[in-house]
């Protein structure tokens, strides 16, 4: 049977609507919905932990800019360093020089590994201001991070980016915008569903063991599960940049390994320490 007969033809608009002439894109919408969902989850964890509201309020600021800056710099420096080091303005601002003129294109390149580094950096600044225990705050974010990650991957799906390799499975997607006519694995959807499952699991765990916040269990669980899945799903993804061709492990896998190890260590640490 021709796999195209059962493939899902995927060609959504990248923008569902405009506001005052400004085009709102699905990726940005998914990113913000994920961040707001994470904000709500962390606010509940803080409330359950008896943390004062005025100590919670600055967290959104530090996380938002930490994730955005870290993810952007991570993409530029991990995946396309030669280009962006020679075009530093494009690294910082959501613009691109096309045919001699500047175009607003949004932040189309964001790396989750860089986002982790960015959010940890933001947290160090946040705890310096609030004096809250670092591990307690890290665990709080660990509980919420999977829902944010899941929404970001949905945004990637809407953008038809980070696609998988060709497949004959009946759920293969023909990503029209890429120009690839063969059905491919919807790797973004696989990741999104996996991260939603991690989020459900961690919420169930949290409801049973609220006293473990601050031991590293939740941050470790999130890092270990998400980046273990990320490591293996890379085997069915198309390489994002040319230099990955021929590598035994691609950049996504190489960057995932230390985060999986860190997650495993935090889980082990949580079994030997109390919050």
């Amino acid at each position: 049977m021709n796999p195209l007969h059962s493939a899902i033809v995927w060609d959504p608009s990248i923008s569902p609507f405009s506001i005052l002439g400004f085009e709102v894109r699905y990726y940005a919408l998914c990113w913000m919905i994920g961040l707001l969902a994470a904000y709500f989850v962390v606010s509940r964890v803080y409330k359950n932990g008896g943390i004062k509201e005025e100590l919670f309020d600055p967290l959104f600021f530090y996380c938002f800019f930490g994730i955005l800056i870290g993810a952007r710099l991570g993409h530029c420096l991990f995946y396309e360093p030669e280009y962006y080091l020679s075009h530093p303005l494009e690294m910082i601002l959501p613009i691109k020089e096309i045919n001699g003129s500047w175009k607003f294109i949004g932040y189309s390149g964001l790396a989750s590994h860089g986002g982790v580094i960015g959010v940890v950096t933001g947290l160090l600044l946040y705890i310096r201001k609030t004096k809250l225990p670092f591990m307690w705050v890290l665990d709080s974010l660990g509980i919420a991070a999977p829902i944010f990650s899941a929404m970001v991957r949905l945004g990637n799906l809407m953008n038809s980016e980070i696609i998988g390799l060709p497949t004959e499975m009946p759920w293969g997607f023909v990503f029209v915008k890429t120009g690839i006519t063969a059905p491919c694995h919807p790797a973004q959807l696989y990741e999104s569903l996996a991260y939603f499952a991690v989020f459900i699991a961690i919420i169930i765990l949290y409801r049973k063991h609220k006293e473990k916040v601050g031991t590293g269990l939740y941050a470790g669980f999130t890092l270990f599960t998400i980046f273990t899945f990320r490591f293996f799903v890379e085997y069915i993804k198309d390489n994002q940049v040319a230099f990955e061709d021929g590598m035994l492990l691609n950049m996504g896998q190489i960057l995932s390994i230390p985060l999986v190890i860190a997650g495993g260590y935090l889980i082990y640490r949580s079994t030997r320490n109390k919050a």
Side-chain angles (χ1 to χ4, degrees):
M1 183 179 69
N2 187 340
L4 284 175
H5 291 166
S6 58
I8 298 168
V9 178
W10 189 252
D11 189 26
S13 168
I14 62 172
S15 174
F17 57 86
S18 298
I19 298 177
L20 299 175
F22 181 79
E23 189 179 70
V24 178
R25 298 192 174 191
Y26 275 113
Y27 183 82
L29 197 59
C30 289
W31 210 86
M32 290 306 301
I33 290 172
L35 197 60
L36 288 173
Y39 177 89
F40 173 77
V41 172
V42 176
S43 71
R44 296 295 299 177
V45 176
Y46 266 56
K47 184 177 181 180
N48 292 338
I51 305 298
K52 295 178 180 179
E53 187 173 343
E54 57 265 28
L55 294 180
F56 171 70
D57 290 339
L59 183 62
F60 183 85
F61 171 85
Y62 285 97
C63 287
F64 178 85
F65 286 101
I67 294 170
L68 182 61
I69 295 171
R72 180 58 178 166
L73 292 179
H75 171 81
C76 296
L77 298 177
F78 294 153
Y79 291 98
E80 300 180 76
E82 291 184 6
Y83 176 83
Y84 282 105
L85 288 176
S86 61
H87 299 79
L89 197 60
E90 294 181 25
M91 189 188 309
I92 302 168
L93 300 176
I95 58 176
K96 188 175 183 68
E97 188 177 6
I98 301 174
N99 297 325
S101 61
W102 293 102
K103 302 288 186 181
F104 177 85
I105 61 168
Y107 288 118
S108 58
L110 299 172
S112 58
H113 303 90
V116 172
I117 296 171
V119 77
V120 170
T121 303
L123 285 186
L124 291 173
L125 297 174
Y126 168 76
I127 63 170
R128 183 178 179 181
K129 176 181 177 65
T130 61
K131 310 303 181 184
L132 289 172
F134 176 76
M135 196 57 66
W136 198 96
V137 178
L138 192 64
D139 264 348
S140 300
L141 292 183
I143 295 170
I147 188 65
F148 173 71
S149 301
M151 290 305 302
V152 169
R153 281 298 181 249
L154 280 182
N156 294 137
L157 178 65
M158 300 307 295
N159 272 359
S160 299
E161 59 191 5
I162 315 181
I163 68 172
L165 296 171
T167 179
E168 294 186 0
M169 295 297 183
W171 56 79
F173 278 44
V174 176
F175 292 99
V176 176
K177 288 184 177 63
T178 67
I180 300 174
T181 58
C184 297
H185 284 288
Q188 326 93 319
L189 186 58
Y190 297 163
E191 286 192 74
S192 184
L193 292 174
Y195 302 161
F196 272 120
V198 171
F199 176 66
I200 292 171
I202 207 167
I203 288 297
I204 293 172
L205 183 62
Y206 169 68
R207 287 181 174 176
K208 291 182 178 179
H209 298 287
K210 292 183 176 67
E211 79 283 354
K212 298 295 286 185
V213 176
T215 64
L217 173 64
Y218 298 105
F221 184 86
T222 290
L223 287 172
F224 185 84
T225 54
I226 283 182
F227 287 102
T228 295
F229 187 86
R230 172 71 186 271
F231 180 90
F232 287 106
V233 80
E234 291 292 327
Y235 283 114
I236 58 168
K237 278 187 187 178
D238 193 18
N239 288 331
Q240 294 188 51
V241 288
F243 74 75
E244 292 180 304
D245 296 341
M247 293 174 63
L248 179 63
L249 299 176
N250 67 22
M251 183 60 71
Q253 291 173 312
I254 292 170
L255 294 173
S256 292
I257 291 172
L259 296 178
V260 171
I261 293 172
Y265 167 75
L266 289 174
I267 293 172
Y268 171 75
R269 177 185 183 278
S270 73
T271 64
R272 305 180 64 84
N273 295 282
K274 296 182 178 180

